[in-house]
Amino acid sequence: MARTSSPEGALRTTDAEETRLNILDVATAEFADKGLSGARIDEIAERTNASKRMIYYYFGGKEGLYRAVLERAYTAVREMDADNLRDHLEPDAALRDVVGATFDYHNQHPEFVRLVMNENILRGAHVGEIPGIRERNRKVVEHLRGILARGVTNRQFREGIDPVELHMTISALCFYNVSNRYTFSYGFERDMSSPKALARRRMSVIDVIESWCRR
Amino acid sequence: MARTSSPEGALRTTDAEETRLNILDVATAEFADKGLSGARIDEIAERTNASKRMIYYYFGGKEGLYRAVLERAYTAVREMDADNLRDHLEPDAALRDVVGATFDYHNQHPEFVRLVMNENILRGAHVGEIPGIRERNRKVVEHLRGILARGVTNRQFREGIDPVELHMTISALCFYNVSNRYTFSYGFERDMSSPKALARRRMSVIDVIESWCRR
DNA sequence: TCTTATGAGCGAACCATTTCGTACATTGCT
DNA sequence: AGCAATGTACGAAATGGTTCGCTCATAAGA
């Protein structure tokens, strides 16, 4: 990618790079907000420093832009993993950490959740082409497998829990209260966006997972 | 509603009624497939016995049709509830029944799951106007509250589990493996659509809930 | 019974707008 | 000059929604 000739050299990104990122930011918000078919590239272009012409210039079109957005969102998750999949001494503490971090990440990145929701509406039409997702999932599962194994040796955890099932359970619990906040909680007064309710939910999720794994 | 003069009398619905239902069926499939913004009225009309004109005649427009579809889907869930929220003698058996039935319903009605996903993408813009959802949720929570209370009395269940949290946990686990089947399971070989994997997941979900509630 | 008024049900063509994408001209740097 | 970057304006197709007019069953009145 071309660089400016400014004295900062390679450390400084070009204007073009900044434009790309700006477009990606706006597009992420827009796609997360309305989905692929609901988003309008004219609208994205307007909110951008750049023009519609530039979107086509850089990303080729709506689909290309969408894929770039999805890819970057998944990349961010992987970076989060890298920070949080450290090994702890105690299996139960490690498990709590994974669950808590996953819960927090989903809550702090609803746009990621919404992109994934949309991708599922599209039956995963694009997610397959994004490199790194397989590895990401595999890595998480392997991490959980390790925790479970150490927990069993430790006699903290019971035997027979499948790490894939565990991964799925954790994901489901962390995903749902973000993805379904608008349809859930009709009928009983509980605003899932209140910090108090959120904290309680967080505790519950950790508790559910722990109760399941503990012997 | 007008009836035909056919001998069957009140038992037989009119052609108009049949047309409405036919439109609703097709629209349900279409909205579940592509979401509100992704669905095309012309396409719905084509797959229908009726014409586009009739869709506007009966439902007023795209939004009206969407709302009618959503409403009917939720009505169907309530009917399912009515069948399954019977009281059992043993709290733990009752709990297993609720979880199992919920799991099965979601799996057998992916179109319902997809409609709810889409409604959440739309930030619940229409779900609030549909009567009966509040009551539905309230009824489920009250049922769970009863089970939990009896289980505590019974000394089968531990104290302090909030029925709303329980409802949310069950919903999340049953919803997720349908809603996120396309983005989950990249990286490890597990086809969630295989009967075997599904049965295993079902068992896991019941197990998770039971482990959490049991003292 | 015969006639007519009424309104639900319906088809086909049509309209206005939106929306994705592109052609072309222009700027500015090297 | 020559190439990358970019703004403007436009085209073609898709899309939500409407207009016009026709059929037919039934109810009301003579």
Side-chain angles (χ1 to χ4, degrees), chain A residues 56 80 119 128:
Chain A
Y56 284 87
M80 182 277 277
E119 184 59 15

Side-chain angles (χ1 to χ4, degrees), chain A residues 38-121:
Chain A
R40 303 284 164 241
I41 44 178
D42 288 282
E43 199 159 331
I44 293 175
E46 260 184 55
R47 298 190 204 282
T48 305
N49 296 332
S51 66
K52 181 164 74 152
R53 178 72 183 72
M54 285 299 96
I55 293 177
Y56 284 87
Y57 189 70
Y58 285 132
F59 299 99
K62 199 184 191 186
E63 298 240 320
L65 180 58
Y66 173 78
R67 219 168 294 152
V69 163
L70 202 60
E71 180 155 0
R72 197 178 62 149
Y74 269 104
T75 302
V77 179
R78 293 189 72 188
E79 281 163 13
M80 182 277 277
D81 285 342
D83 291 342
N84 284 47
L85 295 191
R86 294 180 309 264
D87 281 333
H88 292 69
L89 290 175
E90 290 302 306
D92 59 350
L95 187 59
R96 272 198 301 274
D97 252 38
V98 170
V99 176
T102 306
F103 186 93
D104 293 339
Y105 188 85
H106 283 78
N107 258 90
Q108 285 157 18
H109 298 275
E111 82 287 348
F112 169 72
V113 172
R114 298 184 125 254
L115 286 174
V116 173
M117 288 169 75
N118 189 71
E119 184 59 15
N120 277 289
I121 288 283

Side-chain angles (χ1 to χ4, degrees), chain B residues 2 18 46 49 66-67 81 91 94 96 101-102 114 118 120 131 133 140 142 168 173 186 189-190 193 197:
Chain B
E18 279 170 26
E46 260 184 54
N49 295 332
Y66 174 78
R67 220 168 292 152
D81 285 341
R96 272 197 302 273
T102 305
R114 298 183 124 253
N118 188 73
N120 277 290
I133 295 186
V140 172
E142 286 316 309
M168 194 167 192
L173 295 177
Y186 264 98
E189 310 321 324
R190 176 160 310 181
S193 62

Side-chain angles (χ1 to χ4, degrees), chain B residues 16-37:
Chain B
E17 201 77 14
E18 279 170 26
T19 302
R20 290 177 99 104
L21 289 180
N22 178 237
I23 292 175
L24 274 181
D25 286 341
V26 174
T28 297
E30 193 72 6
F31 283 130
D33 195 37
K34 313 188 189 151
L36 175 58
S37 53

Side-chain angles (χ1 to χ4, degrees), chain A residues 4-70:
Chain A
T4 65
S5 59
S6 64
E8 295 90 329
L11 283 181
R12 198 186 171 287
T13 56
T14 61
D15 291 346
E17 201 76 14
E18 280 171 26
T19 301
R20 290 177 98 103
L21 288 180
N22 178 238
I23 293 176
L24 274 181
D25 285 341
V26 174
T28 298
E30 193 72 5
F31 283 131
D33 194 39
K34 311 186 189 154
L36 175 58
S37 55
R40 303 284 164 241
I41 44 178
D42 288 282
E43 199 159 331
I44 293 175
E46 260 184 55
R47 298 190 204 282
T48 305
N49 296 332
S51 66
K52 181 164 74 152
R53 178 72 183 72
M54 285 299 96
I55 293 177
Y56 284 87
Y57 189 70
Y58 285 132
F59 299 99
K62 199 184 191 186
E63 298 240 320
L65 180 58
Y66 173 78
R67 219 168 294 152
V69 163
L70 202 60

